[in-house]
Amino acid sequence: MSPRRVCPVCGSTEFIYDPRRGEIVCAKCGYVIEENVVDEGPEWRAFEPGQREKRARTGAPMTLMIHDKGLSTDIDWRDKDIHGNQITGMYRTKLRRLRMWQRRMRINDAAERNLAFALSELDRMAAQLRLPRHLKEVAASLYRKAVMKKLIRGRSIEGMVSAALYAACRMEGIPRTLDEIASVSKVSKKEIGRSYRFMARGLGLNLRPTSPIEYVDRFGDALGVSARTKKRAKEILNEAIKRGITSGKGPTGLAAAALYIAALLEGEKKTQREVAEVAHVTEVTVRNRYKELVEKLGINVPI
């Protein structure tokens, strides 16, 4: 209903919709504002979630994670009919033959075959990194755009898929390092970096540098520090960013050093090795960033 609607009798803006009669009536005086309203919902009723699922006649929503966007027919692998009864004999053989031809017909040419392979790789990598579904959709969208602009030609599919996933992580504020992407990819860190730069130029991606603050929660959870320590680390990094100390330095090393300092200040002592392992940096990097932050911010760290 439009919020501008007003009852012509009493001037009220509160209305009640009666789905059985298809009428909209005034909540105060009962005047019928509109009648014969078309109900756009289903014609059946459901009294529990299981019943609703059984009576629904629509499939899964459209997704970019499947090469045909999930719009084609999919024959279930279970040999059962709509009532859950087992299909046997001649019909079972016929169903298996139909299923085989359906799989073949869903992929028409080499381009679709490559896209299907790329999206399956993307799904595998994202699952191993425990990334959310919406991020996978963003990565799939980036890869499809790269295919449309013919950026994939002459490059490895695995490298471009890894680059799309890395870019999507940065776009959605859920950053993952190149080392983390490379750990689940079939190509090297160097190849992923090269593919990412090529994709960013080709698609015109203007991504801001990753902030070290975005890594604090994840690294802090892995270290098992308190929320107070993570908050203190973010305060240290915010001050460092204001003073321009973070310019030109790796965000993971800065986040690790800030967490190390915050843990010392809050009495939750962690070793530099523990922090370095979580952040996938060397102990030397943690030590150097620690010294810079302590000296330039004037932090008194308890020994």
Side-chain angles (χ1 to χ4, degrees):
M1 288 185 293
S2 173
R4 298 176 184 173
R5 182 177 285 158
V6 178
C7 177
V9 176
C10 67
S12 172
T13 56
E14 296 179 14
F15 304 98
I16 298 170
Y17 171 59
D18 185 351
R20 293 185 65 185
R21 295 176 178 272
E23 294 175 347
I24 297 173
V25 299
C26 177
K28 286 192 175 180
C29 67
Y31 180 78
V32 178
I33 305 295
E34 190 175 342
E35 57 184 349
N36 298 325
V37 178
V38 177
D39 184 3
E40 297 180 354
E43 82 285 2
W44 44 262
R45 294 186 300 169
F47 302 99
E48 56 184 24
Q51 197 176 45
R52 185 178 295 277
E53 287 177 12
K54 286 180 181 178
R55 293 184 177 181
R57 292 191 292 273
T58 54
M62 190 172 71
T63 173
L64 296 175
M65 285 300 297
I66 303 175
H67 73 281
D68 56 10
K69 299 184 181 179
L71 298 176
S72 63
T73 304
D74 191 19
I75 301 175
D76 194 23
W77 59 271
R78 293 181 288 258
D79 293 323
K80 292 183 179 181
D81 61 16
I82 193 171
H83 302 294
N85 300 322
Q86 198 73 27
I87 297 173
T88 57
M90 181 180 66
Y91 292 104
R92 186 174 183 176
T93 307
K94 186 178 180 180
L95 187 64
R96 287 181 177 176
R97 192 180 299 116
L98 285 170
R99 192 183 295 123
M100 179 189 69
W101 280 108
Q102 173 63 14
R103 278 200 301 267
R104 292 180 182 178
M105 289 172 66
R106 284 183 70 177
I107 299 174
N108 296 321
D109 51 26
E112 280 197 9
R113 194 180 304 113
N114 290 340
L115 182 60
F117 170 72
L119 294 175
S120 67
E121 273 295 292
L122 175 61
D123 191 40
R124 178 189 64 80
M125 291 166 59
Q128 285 186 263
L129 291 171
R130 297 180 181 178
L131 297 173
R133 182 172 182 80
H134 77 272
L135 192 144
K136 293 193 282 186
E137 294 283 339
V138 172
S141 176
L142 287 174
Y143 186 83
R144 285 174 180 272
K145 288 177 183 176
V147 170
M148 288 174 65
K149 290 202 171 188
K150 299 182 179 178
L151 301 178
I152 311 297
R153 189 171 295 172
R155 294 186 171 268
S156 75
I157 293 174
E158 291 90 344
M160 294 301 282
V161 166
S162 302
L165 190 59
Y166 177 68
C169 287
R170 291 185 60 174
M171 289 169 69
E172 294 299 306
I174 310 175
R176 293 292 182 270
T177 63
L178 283 173
D179 287 309
E180 288 175 295
I181 300 291
S183 68
V184 296
S185 177
K186 295 178 181 177
V187 293
S188 65
K189 174 184 171 181
K190 187 177 179 181
E191 175 64 25
I192 297 169
R194 192 186 298 122
S195 299
Y196 167 71
R197 288 189 293 272
F198 179 73
M199 180 180 282
R201 283 196 305 271
L203 297 180
L205 301 178
N206 189 19
L207 300 176
R208 63 176 178 80
T210 306
S211 171
I213 296 171
E214 294 176 349
Y215 290 97
V216 169
D217 285 327
R218 188 156 59 90
F219 291 171
D221 289 341
L223 281 169
V225 297
S226 65
R228 193 171 61 250
T229 298
K230 289 187 281 187
K231 184 182 177 184
R232 191 74 172 267
K234 289 177 183 177
E235 290 171 356
I236 292 168
L237 289 171
N238 274 321
E239 187 61 30
I241 291 167
K242 284 180 186 176
R243 298 193 188 188
I245 300 170
T246 61
S247 179
K249 298 176 178 66
T252 51
L254 285 164
L259 273 169
Y260 178 65
I261 295 168
L264 290 174
L265 293 173
E266 295 296 333
E268 299 181 42
K269 291 186 178 180
K270 299 289 179 181
T271 65
Q272 291 182 359
R273 176 176 290 181
E274 287 176 313
V275 177
E277 285 176 356
V278 165
H280 298 285
V281 294
T282 63
E283 290 180 56
V284 176
T285 301
V286 175
R287 196 153 42 245
N288 290 340
R289 298 294 167 264
Y290 161 77
K291 288 177 182 176
E292 288 172 4
L293 291 173
V294 168
E295 289 173 8
K296 294 183 179 178
L297 295 178
I299 300 171
N300 294 318
V301 181
I303 300 173

